[in-house]
């Protein structure tokens, strides 16, 4: 048996039509560039199963839903006005942000009834809804949702437990051979953290939990100090300093607990 050779292309600077063709079909799985490195992108249960197999990944973590607009987040996730304000601010400032939020009941009906739900939510029925993750993958996610009504799910394209090095060669043979397509844009990834090296660069985006331990949405604070439960920054990453500043402007109380969820 010969080793599989996956098609590799350099990002075309716009919407990568080859990626759309793969992801709109059942079970498609690609590797695509973001601001912090490479991700696996899938859009349904078969693709998610392939992702878990390629990464040898545990299934207890909340799935990552890539959103091409703040409107898509609003359509899918429960949010308070303060959380909406936070998304809008980071959208306007082009800052990568992911928040763990509960799904809206009516949005759950948009999830394909094929086992997808079990693979992209945690047991509390929450997911991490991410915006401004990087133009190459944002373009794909926006078109997949806008034209085809299909979700874009993501996971970092590196073997579980090994860091995302920000170069396409770092994804490892297992993921490389499992994917249908690899979009290479090392130059784009490097441009985001041009002042950093392999040891100082962020390998991931910031993640903020907006739910309590049972997955219920946190209460609005309305400028009152000490309201609990409050937002928890559970993973530091790219632009964490800007995000903490913005959180401080919107929420009088929030916690910093890097690694808390996992």
């Amino acid at each position: 048996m010969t080793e599989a050779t996956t098609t590799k292309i350099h990002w075309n600077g716009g919407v990568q039509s080859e990626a759309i063709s793969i992801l709109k079909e059942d079970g498609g799985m690609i590797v695509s560039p973001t601001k912090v490195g490479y991700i696996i992108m899938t859009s349904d249960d078969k693709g998610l199963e392939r992702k878990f197999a390629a990464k040898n990944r545990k299934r207890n973590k909340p799935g990552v839903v890539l959103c091409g607009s703040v409107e898509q987040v609003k359509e899918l996730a429960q949010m308070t006005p303060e959380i909406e304000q936070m998304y809008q601010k980071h959208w306007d400032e082009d800052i990568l942000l992911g928040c763990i939020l509960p799904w809206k009941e009516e949005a759950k009906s948009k999830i394909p009834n094929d086992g997808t739900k079990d693979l992209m939510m945690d047991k509390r029925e929450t997911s991490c809804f991410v915006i401004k993750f990087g133009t190459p993958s944002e373009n794909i996610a926006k078109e997949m949702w806008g034209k085809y009504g299909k979700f874009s799910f993501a996971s970092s394209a590196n073997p579980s437990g090994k860091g995302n090095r920000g170069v396409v060669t770092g994804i490892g043979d297992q993921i490389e051979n499992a994917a249908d397509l690899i979009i290479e844009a090392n130059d784009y990834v490097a441009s985001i953290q041009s002042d950093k090296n392999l040891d100082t660069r962020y390998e991931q985006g910031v993640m903020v939990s907006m739910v309590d331990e049972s997955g219920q949405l946190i209460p609005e604070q309305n400028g009152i100090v000490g309201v609990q439960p409050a937002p928890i920054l559970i993973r530091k990453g790219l632009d964490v300093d800007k995000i903490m500043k913005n959180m401080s402007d919107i929420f009088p109380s929030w916690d910093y607990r890097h690694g808390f969820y996992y």
Side-chain angles (χ1 to χ4, degrees):
M1 183 176 170
T2 58
E3 194 172 88
T5 52
T6 300
T7 302
K8 279 186 192 166
I9 54 177
H10 186 75
W11 177 44
N12 63 12
V15 181
Q16 202 78 45
S17 59
E18 298 94 328
I20 302 292
S21 298
I22 288 166
L23 290 175
K24 68 186 176 70
E25 301 301 328
D26 286 351
M29 183 176 102
I30 69 164
V31 171
S32 185
T34 70
K35 290 177 177 176
V36 286
Y38 288 86
I39 56 168
I40 296 170
M41 287 181 73
T42 59
S43 63
D44 56 25
D45 69 321
K46 291 182 185 138
L48 286 164
E49 288 284 7
R50 289 178 65 194
K51 177 205 78 167
F52 282 113
K55 286 196 65 166
N56 303 322
R57 181 80 183 271
K58 291 180 183 174
R59 301 176 178 228
N60 61 332
K61 299 184 179 184
V64 171
V65 182
L66 300 175
C67 295
S69 67
V70 174
E71 288 64 39
Q72 186 182 353
V73 185
K74 289 179 182 176
E75 192 175 340
L76 300 178
Q78 297 176 42
M79 290 194 284
T80 64
E82 290 166 346
I83 297 170
E84 285 188 20
Q85 183 187 346
M86 184 157 156
Y87 268 98
Q88 190 63 55
K89 186 158 185 63
H90 291 86
W91 182 272
D92 294 343
E93 295 180 6
D94 192 22
I95 295 172
L96 167 61
L97 175 72
C99 294
I100 294 180
L101 297 165
W103 284 72
K104 284 183 170 174
E105 278 306 317
E106 59 269 29
K108 290 179 188 173
S109 64
K110 301 177 190 294
I111 302 168
N113 188 25
D114 59 5
T116 297
K117 181 179 168 186
D118 294 334
L119 296 175
M120 40 70 60
M121 292 183 188
D122 62 4
K123 60 183 182 297
R124 307 172 306 175
E125 296 201 335
T126 68
S127 294
C128 184
F129 296 86
V130 182
I131 59 165
K132 289 294 179 180
F133 37 93
T135 309
S137 298
E138 280 178 55
N139 288 348
I140 295 168
K142 189 169 186 180
E143 179 142 334
M144 287 291 293
W145 182 251
K147 271 197 183 175
Y148 303 102
K150 292 199 79 165
F151 292 101
S152 294
F153 305 122
S155 187
S156 57
N158 45 275
S160 252
K162 296 195 177 177
N164 183 343
R165 307 309 286 167
V167 290
V168 78
T169 51
I171 67 175
D173 291 344
Q174 192 169 340
I175 291 172
E176 180 173 334
N177 293 330
D180 300 317
L181 175 74
I182 296 168
I183 303 169
E184 180 273 321
N186 287 347
D187 49 351
Y188 171 81
V189 178
S191 74
I192 303 297
Q193 300 185 74
S194 55
D195 58 333
K196 300 283 198 292
N197 60 38
L198 272 179
D199 296 318
T200 59
R201 70 182 294 276
Y202 282 113
E203 299 177 356
Q204 53 198 9
V206 169
M207 195 181 282
V208 181
S209 174
M210 296 293 189
V211 296
D212 65 15
E213 288 183 6
S214 64
Q216 297 298 303
L217 197 65
I218 60 166
E220 206 168 351
Q221 296 188 359
N222 294 311
I224 299 166
V225 176
V227 174
Q228 290 290 331
I232 306 172
L233 197 153
I234 58 172
R235 193 175 78 185
K236 67 179 177 181
L238 183 68
D239 287 333
V240 65
D241 49 345
K242 295 176 185 173
I243 291 169
M244 291 195 296
K245 159 77 169 61
N246 288 339
M247 285 177 71
S248 298
D249 289 342
I250 297 168
F251 303 98
S253 303
W254 55 270
D255 294 332
Y256 179 94
R257 301 186 207 168
H258 175 69
F260 180 66
Y261 189 90
Y262 306 122

